[in-house]
C-alpha cells in the first residue's frame, strides 16, 4: 500500500517538475532569443540562424546604440521622471493616508474624504477630457505632465491607510499624551513602523513610472522629450525606420554588421536589463506587496 | 475648547490638501469635461463656447459600422483573459504547492513572475520579433515541424488568440503568487487528519487545499468583473495593425483613434463616457459582491 502510493507520487513529482521546468524555460525563451539576436551579426539574424545563442558574436548593435544620443536623452528623462515622480507621489500618498486612516470619530469628515478619493477609481472622464485637462493646466510637454496627473495613486493610499490602521493604537495615544502633534506622530511613529509597506509602494511607483509610455507619447510634443519607453515605442514597435537617419562615418562602418532588427533587439534588451538586474532582490517586497494588497484578512 | 479641537484637526485637513487638490484637478477636472460628449466640440471655442448637440455624438457612433464589432471584440477578449487568468494561476499554484525543493519553487516563481514587470512596449517589441512569420523563431519552429507559418499578429483569426495567450504569459505569475499565499492559509492539522484518514494528495488537494484558497479565488474573480470593458489598451496598442482591426480593435484603441488621431473630440468623449458609465456599474457591483462574498472592504 505504502509502496504503491509512493510510486504514483514519484511519477507525479517527475511530471510536475518537468512541466514546471518547461514552463519556466518557455517564459524565459523570448528574452534569451532577443538577447542572442542583439549580439548577432546581421546576416545571421536575417538568415534565421539565431535561436538562443548568438551567431557571429558582435557588440556592434550595442556600440551603435551607445553612439546615438537619442537613447540616452530618453533614458535621462526617464530617470528624472522616476525620481521626481516617486518622491512626489510617496510624500503626497503618505500625507493623505494618515488622516484617512483615522476613525470618523477622531477625524470628522474622513469618510467623505475617503469617498472623494475612491470615486476617482470608480469613474473617470475618459481619454479626451483627461488630455484637455492636462493641456489646460499648461504643463504639456514638460516633465510635470508625466508626474503630476498620476501623482495620487488611490490604491497606494488605500494600501498605506490599511497598514496604518493595523499599527498599535497605544503608541499613538502615548505620543499624544507626550504632546506630540499629528505631524510628529506621522513622521516619528507611523513612517518608521511602516517600512515594509512603504518599500512595497515605493517599488510599485518606481516600476510604474519606469514602464509608463502612453502619457509620454500623448503629452510630449516632440520625440526628443520622450521618456525611454515612449521613445522605444516609436522606434521598436511602430517600425519607425529613423533609427539609421543622420549617421556619421564611424556609425556607417558599423552598419555592415547590424540591422534594424539587431539594433531593436539591443535597445529592448538594454531597457529590460535594469528591471532584470534589480528584480531578484526586490521580488520579496513585491510579493509581500501583493499579499498586503490582495489577501487582506 | 472648540478652538483647541479645531487646532488638533487642522493638520489632518492640511495633510489631505496636496492629494485633494491634485485629485480635484486631474481626477475631477476630466469628469466635468464629459460635457464635450454632448457638444459639437470645436477646440477654438472650447468647452464653454461649443454648441450643444444633445445625443448626436452617441447616435453617430452607434450607427458606425465598426462600433458593434469593437464592443464585441472588447467583451470577448476581456472575458477570455479574465477566465484564463484565474484558472491557469490556480492550477500553477496547486502544482507549485506540491514542490518540496524550496530553491526550485522559488526559481520557477521568479521566472514566471518576471514578464509582469516589463512594459507592453518591451514585450510588444519582443513579441513582434519572435512571432514574425518570416524571421521569428516561433515560426521557425513551426516550419521545422512541417506546418505552415502562422501570422500571429497579422491574421484576424489568430490575433485574439495571440492577445489572450501573451497576456496570460505576462500576468499569470502575479495571480499564481497570490494563490500560493492563500494556500498557506490552510490549517496544517487538517492535512494530518486527512493522512490518518487515508486521503492521498489528490484528495487532500480537493478537500483541503482548494477550499482554503476559495475566499481568495472568489475575491479575485469578483474583482475582475470590473474589467469586462478593459481588454488591455497597452497590449493591443503595441501589437495591433489595421489588418486585425476586425477582431482586435477594442473600445480604448477605438477611442484613441477617433479622438487623438482623427481629432473628433466630441465623438471620442461620447464613447469614453459610455465606457466609463458601464465600467463604473461593473466595478461597483464587483466591489459589492467582493464585500458580500469575501468580506473585502476598500477602506
Amino acid at each position: 500500500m505504502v509502496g504503491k502510493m509512493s510510486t504514483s507520487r514519484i511519477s507525479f513529482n517527475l511530471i510536475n517538475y518537468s512541466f514546471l521546468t518547461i514552463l519556466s524555460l518557455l517564459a524565459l525563451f523570448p528574452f534569451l532569443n532577443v538577447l542572442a539576436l542583439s549580439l548577432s551579426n546581421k546576416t545571421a539574424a536575417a538568415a534565421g540562424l539565431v535561436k538562443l545563442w548568438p551567431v557571429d558574436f558582435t557588440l556592434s548593435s550595442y556600440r551603435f546604440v551607445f553612439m546615438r544620443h537619442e537613447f540616452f536623452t530618453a533614458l535621462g528623462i526617464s530617470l528624472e521622471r522616476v525620481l521626481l515622480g516617486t518622491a512626489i507621489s510617496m510624500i503626497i500618498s503618505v500625507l493623505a493616508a494618515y488622516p484617512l486612516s483615522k476613525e470618523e470619530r477622531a477625524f470628522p469628515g474622513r469618510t467623505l474624504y475617503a469617498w472623494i478619493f475612491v470615486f476617482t477609481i470608480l469613474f473617470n472622464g475618459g481619454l479626451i477630457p483627461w488630455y484637455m485637462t492636462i493641456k489646460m493646466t499648461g504643463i504639456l510637454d514638460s516633465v510635470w505632465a508625466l508626474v503630476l496627473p498620476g501623482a495620487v495613486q488611490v490604491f497606494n493610499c488605500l494600501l498605506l491607510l490599511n497598514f496604518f490602521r493595523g499599527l498599535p493604537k497605544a503608541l499613538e495615544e502615548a505620543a499624544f499624551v507626550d504632546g506630540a502633534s499629528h505631524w510628529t506622530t506621522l513622521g516619528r511613529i507611523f513612517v518608521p513602523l511602516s517600512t515594509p509597506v512603504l518599500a512595497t509602494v515605493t517599488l510599485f511607483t518606481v516600476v510604474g513610472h519606469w514602464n509608463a509610455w502612453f502619457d509620454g507619447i500623448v503629452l510630449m510634443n516632440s520625440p526628443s522629450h520622450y521618456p525611454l519607453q515612449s521613445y522605444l515605442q516609436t522606434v521598436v514597435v511602430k517600425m519607425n525606420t529613423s533609427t539609421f537617419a543622420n549617421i556619421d562615418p564611424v556609425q556607417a562602418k558599423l552598419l555592415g554588421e547590424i540591422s534594424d532588427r539587431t539594433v531593436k533587439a539591443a535597445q529592448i534588451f538594454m531597457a529590460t536589463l535594469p528591471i532584470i538586474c534589480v528584480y531578484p532582490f526586490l521580488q520579496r517586497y513585491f510579493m509581500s506587496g501583493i499579499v498586503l494588497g490582495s489577501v487582506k484578512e | 475648547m472648540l478652538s483647541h479641537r479645531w487646532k488638533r484637526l487642522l493638520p489632518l485637513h492640511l495633510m489631505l490638501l496636496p492629494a485633494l487638490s491634485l485629485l480635484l484637478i486631474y481626477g475631477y477636472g476630466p469628469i466635468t469635461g464629459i460635457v464635450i460628449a454632448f457638444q459639437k466640440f470645436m477646440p477654438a471655442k472650447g468647452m464653454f463656447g461649443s454648441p450643444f448637440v444633445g445625443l448626436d455624438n452617441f447616435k453617430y457612433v452607434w450607427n458606425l459600422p465598426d462600433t458593434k464589432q469593437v464592443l464585441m471584440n472588447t467583451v470577448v477578449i476581456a472575458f477570455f483573459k479574465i477566465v484564463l487568468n484565474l484558472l491557469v494561476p490556480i492550477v500553477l499554484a496547486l502544482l507549485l504547492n506540491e514542490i518540496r525543493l524550496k530553491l526550485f519553487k522559488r526559481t520557477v516563481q521568479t521566472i514566471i513572475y518576471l514578464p509582469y514587470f516589463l512594459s507592453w512596449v518591451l514585450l510588444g517589441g519582443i513579441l513582434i520579433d519572435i512571432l514574425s512569420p518570416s524571421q521569428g523563431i516561433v515560426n521557425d519552429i513551426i516550419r521545422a515541424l512541417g506546418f505552415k507559418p502562422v501570422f500571429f499578429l497579422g491574421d484576424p483569426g489568430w490575433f485574439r488568440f495571440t492577445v489572450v495567450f501573451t497576456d496570460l504569459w505576462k500576468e499569470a505569475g502575479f495571480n499564481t503568487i497570490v494563490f500560493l499565499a492563500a494556500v498557506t492559509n490552510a490549517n496544517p492539522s487538517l492535512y494530518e487528519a486527512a493522512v490518518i484518514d487515508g486521503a492521498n494528495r489528490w484528495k487532500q488537494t480537493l478537500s483541503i487545499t482548494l477550499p482554503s484558497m476559495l475566499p481568495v479565488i472568489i475575491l479575485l474573480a469578483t474583482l475582475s468583473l470590473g474589467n469586462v470593458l478593459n481588454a488591455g489598451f497597452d497590449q493591443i496598442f503595441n501589437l495591433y495593425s489595421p489588418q486585425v482591426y476586425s477582431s482586435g480593435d477594442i473600445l480604448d484603441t477605438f477611442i484613441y483613434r477617433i479622438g487623438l488621431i482623427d481629432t473628433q473630440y466630441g465623438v471620442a468623449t461620447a464613447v469614453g463616457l459610455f465606457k466609463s458609465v458601464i465600467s463604473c456599474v461593473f466595478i461597483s457591483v464587483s466591489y459589492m459582491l467582493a464585500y458580500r462574498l469575501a468580506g473585502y472592504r476598500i477602506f
Side-chain angles (χ1 to χ4, degrees), chain A residues 262-280:
Chain A
T262 60
V263 172
K264 277 180 186 175
Q267 300 192 84
I268 289 174
F269 193 74
M270 282 169 72
T272 311
L273 197 62
I275 296 232
I276 290 186
C277 287
V278 295
Y279 170 66

Side-chain angles (χ1 to χ4, degrees), chain A residues 48 50 102 110 125 134 170 183 203 210 247:
Chain A
V50 185
K102 302 283 170 227
R110 92 104 229 177
I134 295 171
W183 297 100
L203 286 174
W210 176 260
I247 38 171

Side-chain angles (χ1 to χ4, degrees), chain B residues 239-257:
Chain B
L239 293 179
Y240 82 160
S241 55
Q243 297 103 281
V244 292
Y245 282 175
S246 62
S247 71
D249 201 12
I250 55 168
L251 277 173
D252 286 326
T253 48
F254 188 55
I255 293 167
Y256 172 81
R257 282 206 319 280

